[in-house]
């Protein structure tokens, strides 16, 4: 149960972070906002690492494959693209579209690692996509009716 609660909190903080970063990017620029985001993240990470250093096994870093260190680079791309996207479309749509990307990426990774994907995951992802398409059409129709 604790992992479900932590996942929900993580999702909340992710969206909140995206909105705050997008607001910052509107004021100072997309890449400057991403830079501030990562400098802040670096400072917090260093403080946490220094506080937990007796629990961390830094010598194990040598055994990690190189591609595992690409997460930071991918994060910069995510933050910068979110800084561009969030102000242009409603937050709910950007959240759902990111969620769809995560679902199908997870399906692809599961297939590559496990050579198996459940039909339920694919059907669930497609239902979410259809729901977004339906809702965006309803929103468009309401905008036209309001004019």
């Amino acid at each position: 149960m604790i992992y479900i609660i932590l996942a929900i909190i993580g999702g909340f903080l992710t969206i909140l972070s995206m909105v705050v970063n997008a607001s910052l990017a509107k004021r100072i620029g997309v890449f400057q906002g991403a830079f501030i985001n990562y400098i802040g993240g670096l400072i917090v990470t260093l403080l946490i690492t220094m506080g937990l250093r007796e629990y961390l096994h830094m010598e194990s870093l040598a055994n990690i494959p190189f591609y595992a260190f690409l997460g930071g680079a991918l994060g910069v791309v995510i933050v910068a693209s979110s800084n561009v996207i969030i102000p242009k479309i409603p937050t709910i749509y950007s959240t759902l579209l990111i969620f769809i990307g995560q679902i199908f990426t997870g399906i692809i990774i599961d297939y590559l690692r496990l050579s198996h994907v459940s039909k339920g995951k694919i059907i669930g992802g497609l239902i979410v996509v259809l729901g977004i398409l339906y809702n965006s059409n309803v929103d468009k129709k309401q905008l036209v009716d309001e004019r």
Side-chain angles (χ1 to χ4, degrees):
M1 183 66 173
I2 187 72
Y3 298 116
I4 293 171
I5 293 169
L6 289 174
I8 291 170
I9 291 170
F12 171 80
L13 292 175
T14 300
I15 299 307
L16 184 61
S17 171
M18 288 170 46
V19 170
V20 169
N21 285 329
S23 296
L24 178 64
K26 281 174 73 174
R27 293 181 186 193
I28 65 172
V30 170
F31 291 107
Q32 294 89 336
F35 179 74
I36 296 296
N37 177 64
Y38 275 88
I39 291 297
L42 175 64
I43 292 168
V44 171
T45 302
L46 287 173
L47 291 172
I48 291 171
T49 302
M50 289 165 49
L52 298 175
R53 70 181 144 206
E54 69 252 13
Y55 300 107
L56 301 175
H57 305 285
M58 300 306 275
E59 63 275 357
S60 65
L61 289 176
N63 299 327
I64 297 174
F66 82 93
Y67 60 84
F69 294 101
L70 297 176
L74 292 172
V76 169
V77 173
I78 292 166
V79 170
S81 63
S82 293
N83 288 348
V84 172
I85 294 167
I86 294 291
K88 298 202 183 328
I89 62 175
T91 306
I92 186 68
Y93 285 136
S94 59
T95 302
L96 290 172
L97 292 169
I98 290 168
F99 176 66
I100 289 168
Q102 291 172 340
I103 287 174
F104 288 108
T105 301
I107 289 170
I108 291 167
I109 291 170
D110 282 350
Y111 179 75
L112 294 174
R113 290 183 67 218
L114 307 173
S115 299
H116 178 294
V117 176
S118 74
K119 292 175 187 166
K121 289 178 184 176
I122 295 171
I123 292 169
L126 291 173
I127 289 172
V128 172
V129 170
L130 291 173
I132 288 175
L133 290 173
Y134 173 77
N135 194 33
S136 82
N137 284 332
V138 169
D139 285 351
K140 285 179 190 175
K141 191 174 184 176
Q142 285 179 344
L143 285 174
V144 169
D145 291 345
E146 288 175 4
R147 292 182 188 174

